[in-house]
Amino acid sequence: MTTCFRALCCKGPPPARPEYDLVCIGLTGSGKTSLLSKLCSESPENVVSTTGFSIKAVPFQNAILNVKELGGADNIRKYWSRYYQGSQGVIFVLDSASSEDDLETARNELHSALQHPQLCTLPFLILANHQDKPAARSVQEVKKYFELEPLARGKRWILQPCSLDNMDTLKDSFSQLINLLEEKDQEAVRM
């Protein structure tokens, strides 16, 4: 009886999950808010584009991601860098089915982020969203168009396809990002 009591009552609280502060950027309409809402088990039905920024705590089994989502409108993008401080990783969402002009703008914004002094050493998760649309570009097409191989050489980044219809792929993408964040933490401890 005593053993059973100890097993039930004396375990203590479960170990704390690590928390990581991330910044989520991408053009308006890329799907940032919808993807984050779905990950938080909220209905993406009534989602409104983010004006300014919003913060969501996205729980996973092995970590909690505190995601600062920044609006993607023209008049807001110029202020993105003011919100980068303290970030431990970056989520960049792009609409893989967007127009050539929007894709070019997204490419320029991603290049700026990858080279920004506060972000250039951080892990990046690049989500090629709206893969469920007929005009969606494949991950290989996005990788080539965005020139990710030469630009991101030596950096930690993941490029994944996603859509609201496939939550397993989306969760797997975030699991890979969490692994990169944990590796970065372990390297910092070793130094």
Side-chain angles (χ1 to χ4, degrees):
M1 177 92 154
T2 307
T3 307
C4 182
F5 176 77
R6 280 197 182 120
L8 293 174
C9 300
C10 301
K11 277 186 174 178
R17 291 183 281 180
E19 292 191 30
Y20 297 103
D21 295 327
L22 307 176
V23 65
C24 179
I25 54 179
L27 304 186
T28 296
S30 61
K32 301 179 300 293
T33 306
S34 298
L35 291 173
L36 292 173
S37 295
K38 190 94 178 211
L39 282 170
C40 291
S41 300
E42 298 170 2
S43 172
E45 300 299 317
N46 302 320
V47 168
V48 179
S49 282
T50 301
T51 304
F53 74 95
S54 71
I55 299 175
K56 284 194 181 302
V58 185
F60 286 90
Q61 192 169 0
N62 57 340
I64 297 172
L65 304 179
N66 298 311
V67 182
K68 190 182 331 174
E69 178 200 349
L70 307 181
D74 286 344
N75 60 339
I76 295 172
R77 288 196 306 265
K78 61 186 173 190
Y79 299 108
W80 279 358
S81 62
R82 295 181 185 201
Y83 295 91
Y84 291 165
Q85 189 171 357
S87 296
Q88 295 169 283
V90 181
I91 303 162
F92 189 93
V93 182
L94 64 97
D95 179 356
S96 62
S98 67
S99 69
E100 289 293 325
D101 287 345
D102 283 348
L103 207 60
E104 180 65 24
T105 303
R107 180 182 146 195
N108 292 336
E109 294 296 345
L110 178 59
H111 283 213
S112 293
L114 281 165
Q115 295 171 340
H116 192 278
Q118 289 179 308
L119 303 181
C120 65
T121 61
L122 302 180
F124 269 73
L125 171 58
I126 305 162
L127 295 171
N129 196 16
H130 299 142
Q131 289 293 309
D132 52 332
K133 293 184 178 177
R137 291 156 185 90
S138 70
V139 168
Q140 290 300 61
E141 290 172 308
V142 169
K143 184 190 252 183
K144 184 177 180 181
Y145 182 82
F146 278 67
E147 300 172 326
L148 286 174
E149 289 292 340
L151 181 68
R153 187 170 289 124
K155 301 180 188 312
R156 295 184 180 122
W157 59 277
I158 303 160
L159 171 61
Q160 289 285 91
C162 72
S163 72
L164 285 177
D165 296 342
N166 191 341
M167 287 308 294
D168 290 338
T169 301
L170 186 62
K171 287 178 181 178
D172 181 58
S173 301
F174 276 85
S175 292
Q176 290 179 51
L177 177 60
I178 290 168
N179 289 340
L180 290 180
L181 292 164
E182 289 171 343
E183 287 173 15
K184 190 161 175 59
D185 269 359
Q186 291 170 356
E187 284 177 10
V189 169
R190 279 186 241 139
M191 291 181 170

